[in-house]
Amino acid sequence: MSNFIIKKVAVLGAGVMGAQIAAHCVNAKVPVILFDLPAKEGPKNGIVLRAIDNLKKLSPAALGTPELAAQIEIGNYEDDLACLGECDLIIEAIAERMEWKHDLYKKVAPHIAEHAIFATNTSGLSITALAEGFDEALKQRFCGVHFFNPPRYMHLLELIPTADTRPEILDQLEAFLTTTLGKGVVRAFDTPNFIANRVGIFGMLATIIEAEKFGLTVDVVDDLTGSKLGRAKSGTFRTADVVGLDTMSHVIRTMQDNLQDDPFYAVYRTPELVGKLIEGGALGQKSGAGFYKKVGKDILRIDAKAEPATIDYVPSGAKADDLIGRILKEKDAAKRMKALHDSSNPQAQFLWAIFRDMFHYIAVHLEDIADNARDIDFAMRWGYGWNLGPFEIWQAAGWAQIAQWVKEDIDAGKALSRAPLPAWVFDGRRGVHVEDGSWSPSQRKVVPRSALPVYARQAFRAGVFGDHGVGGGAAGNTVFEDESVRLWHQDDDVLVLSFKTKMHVIGPGVTAGIHKAIAEAEANYKGLVIWHADAAEGGAFSAGADLQSMLPLFMSGGTKAIEPEVVKLQQAHQALKYANVPVVAAVAGLALGGGCELLLHATRRVAALESYIGLVEVGVGLIPAGGGLKEIAVRAADAARGNDILQFLKHSYMHAATAAVSRSALEAQSMGYLKNDDVIVFNPYELLHVAKSQVLALHEAGYRPPRRTLVPVIGRYGIATIGAQLINMRDGGFISSHDYKLGLMIAEIVSGGDLDAGSLVDEQWLLDHERKAFMELLDHPKTQERIMGMMQTGKPVRN
């Protein structure tokens, strides 16, 4: 066995995709050089420099922190091609023009190292055609990689070989893309637009055709085809605006030019309305108008009934009929689909039609575009934001009945093609996904998941409906379980604590579960991991304290009834910090308020890149009371090492006082919520594996809990200095009087209270101050307004 380590990457093309791919590489600590043409005016590397500068302004952010932009090396095709010899992976990402790519390949090919992998990032061009002209050695190291935009956030990456690509090249690249860049890799056949865009663009075209047939406006269609359908909340037309109508048209043209024999060929044309918008310069979000247009605070929609020569906009906001909303809330998939199929409501008929068209299309084309049905489902889930892939939806709704309805519509001429469903659809099966794998028409058998070693790092891989895999919520051996928590293990020496509460909020049950987990881990295990089963599927680590559970206590006994629960929370967090076995918090998604405080008290943190961490209590008129401010004071004192503590305290103080939340785990590290020796994981499916590895490493190193020591604080000096800044902010109208009160309370706690600078206090002193301030605020009318506003609307109240 030999290691394949990608020490450096080159990205050719500093456009939107190329620059963001380079950004994601530096996020992952992979050295990268970004190339483009030499500029005709100004600095020779001006094109690349402008692209890097633009990365800092993108929203959502391409970079984990803006400072990472400086780590991208720059180059141009005249002066720096020799640098390609230093790179183990070269990714070409220039415009989707075959001739332009071939011209660039002629320039760069002589400079590519003999061991390096050469990949093209294309959304649909033929990889085999792109490889024409290469010598045999380079052909064997060439393949397609299709990142989805934006590359940092979209989990899907399509990996496309040619007949000449060496299998080990693909395996090596898949391992790098999976672990280092955090991607969900789907291997696609070298067919036009591969899998996700082939199916996704067909679905968009079918939606446009059926919407016109049933007379539905774009806003109604988006309401019907967004989150109500388990898809991206932007729906169909708003998604097209975000992608860009010109980009969409280009992808359609690829299908139109290369799929003349396709039974759905008549669908592959740019819709008349889209063509009219493009001709008028309305390209979607990037041009300020497309299917939608923002005028002031108003969102207008295209008036499809306007004269063909004009582009008119009218107010938007129309929603799905209440009847359809009720149908789509039906939990039984078979009943839901039957209700749509049988209804005479035009919106229901529209939804059945787009489902039918999709089922028809993927059945006819599965053999042509993918190795198996699972790859189509993952492509649509990871690339288009669907909760379930199209085959999963079909199987969940009743395979045989759906197949019969689709056949009836084909025979009646209602479908978009007269192509019959393949014979395998009617072979008595109950679906395409079974426990052992997924159906592959090309192999005429069920094929299992990839057995590449990289997937051993994923304790619970993404599953598909019908494979009957046991997820992290029920796997392993349960040690203890109640309505709030589950303690379990996987026949190893690491205990896992998983929360079961909604968004993993922390209430009395979770607090008690923490104490139980520590006692169990200390008695029988080498350490404890706090990890939740939905960590890889967008779930929260913890959205904080369970305000709902506190409300009955408050209503029955006032603030005095709450105080014992605050004490218990503080004690639970202290128990985590001083446990006799290592405790690792496996963090992904939101870690807010009490969730942030919990992770601060762990021995170590393993955080997914997309972790959004912060002490946000001021948003509900409170201050952190679970030890978060205490930890800010402790960490500042540790970092100062005898120097002025205020210099190490002020930034962390400001984060808590302004409820700042990190936009990545990398930013959380710079904010001080994660330490420098904490681990950042790019693939959330690997989170549990890495967290357990950290526990075992700490145990093998002879872990001992930290000693309880006294904490030097800055006292009145810190309170006065921070207080003066708060007065200026209040008097300048930047914060309200209640914000001022909250900010001053936080300053008093992190400074240690009314003491001389350099005084030593224990942690309990700081915890007592936290709790006292928290209890005082609970009785404050302004705080109560904020709490009730958040519980009613989910949004902070500024008062």
Side-chain angles (χ1 to χ4, degrees):
M1 179 180 176
S2 60
N3 287 337
F4 179 78
I5 301 173
I6 293 181
K7 299 181 286 293
K8 189 171 187 178
V9 172
V11 177
L12 311 180
V16 173
M17 284 300 291
Q20 291 191 76
I21 292 169
H24 196 54
C25 287
V26 295
N27 286 340
K29 298 183 179 179
V30 178
V32 63
I33 180 167
L34 180 60
F35 282 84
D36 212 300
L37 294 164
K40 295 179 180 178
E41 297 179 355
K44 203 165 187 180
N45 288 317
I47 294 173
V48 177
L49 289 169
R50 284 192 295 276
I52 293 173
D53 187 57
N54 190 54
L55 285 172
K56 304 174 194 175
K57 306 169 188 174
L58 288 179
S59 180
L63 293 158
T65 62
E67 295 76 19
L68 286 171
Q71 295 185 19
I72 301 175
E73 296 180 44
I74 59 176
N76 67 73
Y77 302 133
E78 283 187 5
D79 302 331
D80 305 300
L81 289 179
C83 296
L84 291 175
E86 308 168 4
C87 299
D88 309 289
L89 171 62
I90 295 96
I91 301 173
E92 169 270 307
I94 68 170
E96 297 279 276
R97 294 279 294 272
M98 184 79 71
E99 66 274 20
W100 292 2
K101 290 178 184 280
H102 276 147
D103 287 345
L104 179 60
Y105 295 172
K106 291 173 185 176
K107 289 182 184 178
V108 302
H111 301 277
I112 296 174
E114 292 182 358
H115 73 282
I117 298 173
F118 188 23
T120 174
N121 180 68
T122 174
S123 61
L125 296 179
S126 167
I127 310 303
T128 301
L130 286 170
E132 290 176 3
F134 289 161
D135 61 38
E136 287 304 311
L138 188 53
K139 273 187 178 181
Q140 293 175 10
R141 292 179 283 117
F142 183 72
C143 64
V145 292
H146 181 203
F147 286 84
F148 276 65
N149 191 22
R152 169 182 158 184
Y153 301 94
M154 298 303 291
H155 190 58
L156 177 64
L157 185 137
E158 292 175 318
L159 182 59
I160 312 101
T162 70
D164 297 306
T165 310
R166 292 207 315 266
E168 65 269 26
I169 290 291
L170 294 171
D171 293 348
Q172 291 166 345
L173 188 53
E174 184 165 347
F176 169 78
L177 295 167
T178 299
T179 289
T180 305
L181 297 190
K183 295 300 163 192
V185 175
V186 168
R187 295 200 186 187
F189 293 163
D190 188 12
T191 55
N193 294 333
F194 314 127
I195 299 175
N197 277 348
R198 176 75 172 270
V199 175
I201 292 297
F202 168 80
M204 294 178 83
L205 290 171
T207 299
I208 293 170
I209 291 168
E210 302 293 359
E212 184 176 350
K213 186 185 300 182
F214 289 100
L216 303 183
T217 58
V218 298
D219 47 357
V220 170
V221 170
D222 280 350
D223 191 50
L224 286 167
T225 61
S227 54
K228 284 186 173 70
L229 219 57
R231 301 181 182 179
K233 64 181 181 181
S234 52
T236 301
F237 292 101
R238 201 177 298 277
T239 297
D241 273 356
V242 171
V243 170
L245 302 189
D246 53 341
T247 302
M248 178 182 170
S249 181
H250 170 78
V251 177
I252 295 169
R253 198 174 305 115
T254 300
M255 297 163 81
Q256 196 171 32
D257 292 347
N258 296 284
L259 295 169
Q260 288 90 345
D261 296 330
D262 191 306
F264 291 86
Y265 182 72
V267 178
Y268 305 151
R269 58 181 180 83
T270 299
E272 183 181 357
L273 179 57
V274 174
K276 183 170 73 171
L277 287 168
I278 294 172
E279 188 178 336
L283 305 180
Q285 186 171 281
K286 59 188 171 187
S287 67
F291 288 112
Y292 293 92
K293 180 180 181 181
K294 189 172 183 180
V295 178
K297 294 183 178 181
D298 298 324
I299 304 294
L300 307 181
R301 65 163 174 83
I302 192 74
D303 181 7
K305 296 178 182 177
E307 292 298 319
T310 64
I311 298 176
D312 290 341
Y313 290 88
V314 296
S316 69
K319 301 290 184 182
D321 291 349
D322 290 342
L323 168 65
I324 307 305
R326 290 195 297 272
I327 290 174
L328 294 178
K329 287 180 180 178
E330 167 61 55
K331 292 184 179 179
D332 186 300
K335 291 180 179 178
R336 187 168 61 244
M337 195 67 74
K338 185 177 190 307
L340 294 175
H341 177 269
D342 294 350
S343 175
S344 60
N345 182 292
Q347 294 182 13
Q349 292 177 334
F350 160 76
L351 287 175
W352 161 250
I354 64 171
F355 276 123
R356 175 204 63 218
D357 297 340
M358 178 61 69
F359 298 151
H360 187 190
Y361 191 79
I362 58 174
V364 168
H365 284 299
L366 172 57
E367 184 169 358
D368 305 329
I369 66 174
D371 176 65
N372 61 76
R374 180 179 54 245
D375 288 344
I376 286 183
D377 282 340
F378 281 153
M380 296 310 295
R381 279 165 51 179
W382 296 341
Y384 275 75
W386 292 21
N387 291 346
L388 289 177
F391 277 118
E392 292 179 283
I393 296 169
W394 184 348
Q395 186 164 336
W399 183 270
Q401 179 63 80
I402 296 296
Q404 183 60 36
W405 285 338
V406 174
K407 181 181 184 302
E408 289 170 1
D409 278 8
I410 295 170
D411 293 344
K414 295 179 180 179
L416 297 180
S417 166
R418 291 195 173 273
L421 291 171
W424 59 261
V425 171
F426 300 100
D427 64 3
R429 67 180 56 246
R430 299 177 66 180
V432 289
H433 303 305
V434 294
E435 190 169 352
D436 297 332
S438 297
W439 174 249
S440 171
S442 59
Q443 299 184 51
R444 296 292 184 267
K445 65 178 183 178
V446 166
V447 295
R449 303 288 295 275
S450 169
L452 286 178
V454 67
Y455 293 112
R457 298 171 57 85
Q458 298 184 13
F460 303 102
R461 295 170 70 175
V464 287
F465 180 90
D467 67 6
H468 307 298
V470 179
N477 300 299
T478 300
V479 175
F480 170 81
E481 186 170 13
D482 62 15
E483 63 183 8
S484 298
V485 301
R486 177 176 178 243
L487 303 182
W488 58 284
H489 63 86
Q490 292 179 283
D491 291 320
D492 56 23
D493 293 324
V494 180
L495 185 66
V496 181
L497 168 61
S498 299
F499 299 172
K500 295 170 60 180
T501 51
K502 185 178 181 180
M503 295 190 74
H504 307 134
V505 292
I506 302 170
V510 169
T511 302
I514 291 171
H515 283 293
K516 188 175 288 290
I518 293 167
E520 179 67 27
E522 288 181 338
N524 297 305
Y525 297 88
K526 292 180 178 179
L528 173 67
V529 167
I530 302 173
W531 174 87
H532 307 314
D534 59 356
E537 307 291 343
F541 176 70
S542 173
D546 185 358
L547 295 176
Q548 293 283 0
S549 72
M550 295 292 183
L551 190 58
L553 280 174
F554 181 76
M555 297 300 290
S556 62
T559 55
K560 288 184 179 179
I562 301 292
E563 188 164 9
E565 298 304 321
V566 178
V567 171
K568 290 177 184 176
L569 179 64
Q570 291 181 340
Q571 291 172 340
H573 288 168
Q574 288 293 92
L576 286 173
K577 182 173 182 177
Y578 293 106
N580 289 303
V581 292
V583 178
V584 173
V587 183
L590 296 176
L592 306 178
C596 176
E597 291 178 301
L598 187 152
L599 69 86
L600 290 175
H601 288 83
T603 311
R604 185 163 293 171
R605 288 137 293 275
V606 173
L609 176 66
E610 301 311 327
S611 295
Y612 312 112
I613 302 171
L615 296 170
V616 297
E617 285 83 354
V618 297
V620 290
L622 293 168
I623 57 98
L629 299 181
K630 178 263 298 180
E631 280 301 299
I632 286 176
V634 170
R635 292 185 179 195
D638 288 345
R641 297 181 180 275
N643 295 310
D644 183 6
I645 294 173
L646 184 60
Q647 298 308 309
F648 296 87
L649 184 66
K650 58 186 180 182
H651 294 299
S652 297
Y653 160 81
M654 191 58 69
H655 297 323
T658 60
V661 176
S662 74
R663 291 167 294 182
S664 70
L666 293 166
E667 188 172 55
Q669 213 163 32
S670 69
M671 293 169 72
Y673 290 131
L674 300 180
K675 292 185 176 180
N676 289 335
D677 60 352
D678 288 334
V679 180
I680 295 175
V681 172
F682 276 63
N683 195 318
Y685 288 99
E686 298 184 351
L687 197 61
L688 181 59
H689 168 82
V690 177
K692 291 172 85 171
S693 298
Q694 290 292 308
V695 163
L696 295 173
L698 287 164
H699 171 82
E700 293 302 319
Y703 177 76
R704 298 290 297 171
R707 292 176 55 220
R708 297 177 187 264
T709 59
L710 296 177
V711 183
V713 294
I714 52 177
R716 288 182 291 272
Y717 158 64
I719 297 170
T721 304
I722 296 172
Q725 296 175 339
L726 289 171
I727 290 171
N728 290 336
M729 294 173 70
R730 181 195 63 192
D731 294 348
F734 297 104
I735 60 175
S736 70
S737 59
H738 198 52
D739 290 328
Y740 168 78
K741 179 179 180 64
L742 295 166
L744 192 59
M745 279 184 158
I746 293 172
E748 290 170 348
I749 295 163
V750 298
S751 298
D754 188 13
L755 299 171
D756 294 333
S759 296
L760 297 175
V761 302
D762 62 15
E763 291 187 19
Q764 190 59 50
W765 170 272
L766 297 167
L767 289 170
D768 290 344
H769 277 66
E770 279 190 20
R771 189 177 68 257
K772 179 182 176 182
F774 183 86
M775 303 313 300
E776 177 186 333
L777 287 167
L778 272 181
D779 277 328
H780 199 290
K782 294 288 188 183
T783 288
Q784 292 172 4
E785 284 178 19
R786 291 193 183 190
I787 292 173
M788 293 309 296
M790 178 64 76
M791 292 176 68
Q792 290 169 359
T793 69
K795 298 178 181 179
V797 175
R798 308 313 303 176
N799 56 3

